[in-house]
Structure formats: structure tokens, C-alpha cells
Amino acid sequence: MRQLRIPFILLASLAAPAAVEGTTYVMVSDAAVAEVRVVEAGPATAGAAPDTDYLVEVERVVQGHLPGSRIVVRVPGGIGAGGVGLRVFGAPEFAPGERALLFLVPGKDGAYRILHLMLGAFHERRLAGRRAAVRELTGAHEVVLGPDGRPTFHERGADRPRDLERFADWLGDRAAGHRRERDYLL
């Protein structure tokens, strides 16, 4: 009868978890995308950081799921307990009555957050008689890597307004697995 000899190092590697090799990542949750109308704004009542809560009415869910027709969207910055204020450059601000297209992720506290801060918030504006989706990038700088790999900074970036209806329809189509050309840029 032959004996099988397995080196100790092989047995040890089978018994203990191996070191992680390759690319590692933290999964981000799927965003819900919705057209909303801001009902009211005020200081967040939960949490220690000064945040602003926006009560919004969901007019159209473009992608994903939202639990009701009204949700709270919490944005970092504002006036907190005791009158302490915090300004977060790039944090979107909304006025009651304003309409927007928002990319939203649920927070652990029941409020929703805007995905990627200002990049996930499109304000509805009228441009040439059309409903347009516009990101507010004033004071922001886009980082672009040059051919040599060095970063350069561009004020306001190259973001273009979008036809709101076509953009929302395009997002809905992508969520449903239908790929088509970007036909929404103005």
C-alpha cells in the first residue's frame, strides 16, 4: 500500500484562509433614480452632524424602488443642534417647490442620501422652452488625467444639460437592460 505524502505547507494553506490577491472592492448599493418635487427643507433632526433634510414628493420612479410617495433626502451641511453650521462645498441645495432628478441610496437611519453628492443631483431648469436636467457645479473642479497620467483641474468640467424627459427615459431603459445611444444631451 502506497502512502500519500502531502507537504505540511499545503495542509496549512488548506486549513487557513489564504491572503487576498487581486482587486478588492466594497460593493455600492444600487441607486434609485426619481423625479421629485421638494416640499420643505430644514435642519436634520437625527444624527450628530449638521445636515439638511428635504421632504420630497416622488413624482416618478425612473429606476429602482422607493417606499412611498414622500421620502426624506438628507444632504450633509446646514445648521445643526446648538446653531453650529457646516458648509460642504458641492452639497446640493434645493428650495421648496423645486423639481429635481435624484440618484438616491438609502441611509441606515431611514433617510435617503444623494449618490456621489452633487453628481447625483440634477436640478430641473427651463432651457429653450424645454425641461432640462442640470447639475450645479459652481465652484467645483473636475479632475482629468492627462496623457502623462498627471491630474489637471477644470472648473465646472464638461457637464452638459440634458433633456430631462429623454434622460429619465434613457436611465429607465438602461435599468430594464435596454442599451441605446445617449440621445438626451442638449
Side-chain angles (χ1 to χ4, degrees), residues 4-185:
L4 181 61
R5 294 184 182 242
I6 300 173
F8 175 74
I9 192 154
L10 177 60
L11 286 175
S13 67
L14 292 174
V20 176
E21 291 185 11
T23 303
T24 59
Y25 61 91
V26 176
M27 183 62 72
V28 295
S29 60
D30 289 336
V33 180
E35 287 184 57
V36 303
R37 183 181 57 80
V38 178
V39 176
E40 62 185 43
T45 56
D51 293 326
T52 301
D53 278 354
Y54 295 96
L55 177 63
V56 301
E57 187 170 293
V58 178
E59 295 185 335
R60 174 185 177 195
V61 176
V62 175
Q63 174 183 315
H65 172 76
L66 292 171
S69 61
R70 287 189 171 195
I71 59 170
V72 173
V73 176
R74 183 160 294 142
V75 177
I79 305 297
V84 175
L86 173 67
R87 177 174 169 111
V88 178
F89 291 94
E93 296 178 5
F94 304 97
E98 181 177 357
R99 287 185 159 76
L101 178 72
L102 302 178
F103 288 66
L104 300 166
V105 291
K108 293 178 184 175
D109 55 6
Y112 283 79
R113 306 295 191 278
I114 298 173
L115 184 66
H116 304 304
L117 202 57
M118 68 187 162
L119 297 179
F122 292 84
H123 301 265
E124 181 180 320
R125 301 287 186 254
R126 295 299 271 181
L127 294 176
R130 299 167 92 172
R131 291 176 59 212
V134 178
R135 286 192 262 211
E136 179 53 57
L137 300 177
T138 303
H141 302 274
E142 182 181 14
V143 178
V144 178
L145 295 179
D148 60 356
R150 291 182 160 195
T152 58
F153 301 92
H154 301 273
E155 189 161 347
R156 291 203 59 162
D159 200 51
R160 291 175 45 193
R162 294 151 169 83
D163 178 287
L164 189 110
E165 289 295 324
R166 285 184 177 202
F167 184 43
D169 290 345
W170 183 84
L171 291 167
D173 285 349
R174 287 184 68 85
H178 305 293
R179 300 286 187 236
R180 61 184 177 94
E181 293 296 317
R182 295 186 322 163
D183 62 353
Y184 52 78
L185 293 174

